[in-house]
């Protein structure tokens, strides 16, 4: 007996989204009476599986890396329904907008006195990041953030 053909689609709860935001992907398999499992993938990487209920399944991804992601859903089918794969959904993850505040200590400073430059980022970068310190166009150093700030002590400015 031939299995009934299906059509699979995938949608995003938020596209584009901002780095660090959760995104929920919803798979829909028609006919809606389809049952079984679907597999969500980002390119060739499986990011999760879910069971269909009335032809629908969701997967919430807490965070994707910045950039463009090629999301697909594959329905394996069952004894009644044939498998199918969704067209690619391009999910865009935008960078987080940050504000940087710079403080110097001591301020004012004496000629040739060491000065500590501290950059405070808002919001804090969850996975860390790098801060480049420049004075009058000259790179003084590049420092890994610790939470919401990075500091560099110079011998003179």
């Amino acid at each position: 007996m031939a299995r009934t053909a299906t059509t699979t689609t995938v949608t995003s709860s938020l596209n584009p989204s901002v780095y660090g935001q959760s995104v929920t992907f919803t798979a829909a398999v028609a006919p809606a009476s389809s049952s079984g499992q679907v597999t969500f993938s980002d390119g060739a990487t499986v990011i999760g599986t879910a069971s269909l209920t009335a032809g629908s399944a969701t997967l919430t991804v807490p965070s994707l890396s910045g950039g463009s992601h090629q999301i697909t859903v594959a329905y394996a089918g069952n004894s009644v329904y044939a498998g199918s794969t969704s067209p690619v959904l391009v999910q865009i993850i935008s960078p987080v907008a940050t504000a940087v505040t710079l403080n110097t200590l001591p301020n004012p400073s004496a000629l040739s006195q060491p000065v500590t430059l501290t950059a405070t980022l808002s919001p804090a970068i969850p996975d860390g990041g790098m801060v480049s310190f420049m004075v009058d166009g000259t790179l003084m150093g590049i420092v890994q953030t610790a939470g919401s700030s990075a500091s560099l002590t110079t011998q003179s400015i």
Side-chain angles (χ1 to χ4, degrees), residues 115-128:
V115 174
T116 299
L117 306 170
T118 301
T120 303
L121 302 147
S122 176
I125 307 299
D127 293 335

Side-chain angles (χ1 to χ4, degrees), residues 25-60:
F25 296 108
T26 301
V29 178
S33 57
S34 302
S35 62
Q37 291 244 324
V38 291
T39 301
F40 294 82
S41 298
D42 180 358
T45 303
V46 172
I47 56 174
T49 60
S51 295
L52 290 168
T53 301
S56 182
T58 61
L59 175 72
T60 299

